[in-house]
Amino acid sequence: MTETTYVTDERTDLLETLAHHRHFLRFTTRDLTDEQAGQRTTASVLCLGGLIKHVTSAERHWAEFILNGPSPSDDFSNMTEADFARRADEFRMLPGDTLAGVLAAYEEVARRTDEIVTSLPDLNADHPLPEAPWHKPGARWSARRVLLHIAAETAQHAGHADIIRESLDGAKSMG
């Protein structure tokens, strides 16, 4: 009996890992209404639609960072109350938001990120991180490191989403 060995390149591995975590995040919303997608089921302010909105926004931001580095609006010390309010709205389903719309926006951002990963000349290309209390001063992230961060954040929020969904109606993503 011979053992089959699968060898892929780094970009394929990164994209497959990210696709796996995206799938489980989206899967938590299967068969839900817009109202259910916006419902809080735990002590947290999080809801399923809001989590997907947040992951969409974060992935869009980091994909832009890969291409262009930090923007002036990334400087945490310059954020206004309005900026913080907009950020908080990422975690909620707002009037006019629909689950279909949230999922479509996430799909578009995912497609764009995947396109960037496949076309980027070098995953070692890096930029300085913006000033923020959670970043080391002077730190730089490569495109590779940013993609690992996107995958980790997506996986973390997929876990949050699984807890929220189970609390909503008992449905689980796995198990």
Side-chain angles (χ1 to χ4, degrees):
M1 180 174 182
T2 61
E3 190 174 313
T4 303
T5 304
Y6 295 94
V7 178
T8 63
D9 66 11
E10 180 180 24
R11 290 170 202 254
T12 301
D13 288 344
L14 288 167
L15 290 173
E16 286 180 0
T17 298
L18 190 49
H20 176 79
H21 295 307
R22 286 174 180 149
H23 164 76
F24 279 109
L25 178 58
R26 286 189 308 265
F27 190 64
T28 63
T29 65
R30 69 197 177 284
D31 304 323
L32 293 182
T33 65
D34 294 339
E35 181 181 39
Q36 289 171 312
Q39 187 176 337
R40 290 177 51 195
T41 63
T42 66
S44 167
V45 299
L46 301 175
C47 66
L48 292 171
L51 271 175
I52 292 174
K53 283 175 61 176
H54 168 67
V55 172
T56 300
S57 176
E59 186 169 325
R60 180 184 301 114
H61 166 81
W62 284 113
E64 189 63 29
F65 176 87
I66 288 171
L67 294 174
N68 301 309
S71 72
S73 65
D74 292 336
D75 186 344
F76 180 78
S77 64
N78 291 330
M79 288 183 70
T80 66
E81 288 300 319
D83 294 328
F84 284 112
R86 275 190 297 279
R87 182 170 165 80
D89 284 345
E90 288 180 4
F91 293 94
R92 294 189 283 271
M93 291 286 281
L94 300 174
D97 285 345
T98 64
L99 181 56
V102 167
L103 290 169
Y106 186 43
E107 190 64 35
E108 178 58 28
V109 166
R111 184 200 59 73
R112 176 69 178 130
T113 301
D114 292 355
E115 183 181 279
I116 290 168
V117 172
T118 57
S119 65
L120 196 65
D122 185 2
L123 292 177
N124 290 319
D126 70 336
H127 297 288
L129 289 175
E131 295 295 322
W134 48 86
H135 294 153
K136 290 181 183 176
R140 298 179 70 87
W141 277 8
S142 67
R144 176 184 300 99
R145 177 65 184 89
V146 171
L147 292 167
L148 290 169
H149 177 74
I150 293 170
E153 182 160 323
T154 304
Q156 179 180 11
H157 288 312
H160 295 146
D162 199 37
I163 292 167
I164 292 167
R165 178 61 191 260
E166 189 172 358
S167 297
L168 179 68
D169 64 3
K172 299 178 185 178
S173 296
M174 298 193 305

